[in-house]
Amino acid sequence: MEVKIGVLHAPREINIESAQSAAEVEAAVAEALSGTSKLLSLVDEHGRKVLIPADRLAYVEIGEPATRRVGFGAAL
């Protein structure tokens, strides 16, 4: 799952590929924005944890699940 996160006062967005489902990512964002958690915590495909202060979130874009492409002529 591709996740793009905009952070206030940061010139670039954060892009991660997460093994979490769209529902799990959405629940984590909702929990952070509701104030029950001070941090948005996501885990990428390699097991690294990304922590972002909830009060610095500008936007979160949840993409489609990533499909593996094999070969030189793989269709998009």
Side-chain angles (χ1 to χ4, degrees), residues 27-40:
V29 171
E31 183 179 318
L33 293 177
S34 70
T36 57
S37 174
K38 301 268 185 197
L39 293 172
L40 170 62

Side-chain angles (χ1 to χ4, degrees), residues 65-76:
T67 58
R68 296 237 181 234
R69 295 185 186 128
V70 178
F72 293 106
L76 296 176

Side-chain angles (χ1 to χ4, degrees), residues 9-40:
H9 308 298
R12 296 168 59 184
E13 63 188 14
I14 299 170
N15 294 320
I16 66 168
E17 287 289 332
S18 178
Q20 295 172 297
S21 69
E24 291 172 329
V25 173
E26 187 175 350
V29 171
E31 183 179 318
L33 293 177
S34 70
T36 57
S37 174
K38 301 268 185 197
L39 293 172
L40 170 62

Side-chain angles (χ1 to χ4, degrees), residues 5 7 24-43 49-57 60:
I5 304 166
V7 180
E24 291 172 329
V25 173
E26 187 175 350
V29 171
E31 183 179 318
L33 293 177
S34 70
T36 57
S37 174
K38 301 268 185 197
L39 293 172
L40 170 62
S41 175
L42 299 174
V43 179
K49 193 175 264 194
V50 178
L51 301 170
I52 302 158
D55 61 344
R56 298 285 185 217
L57 288 175
V60 177

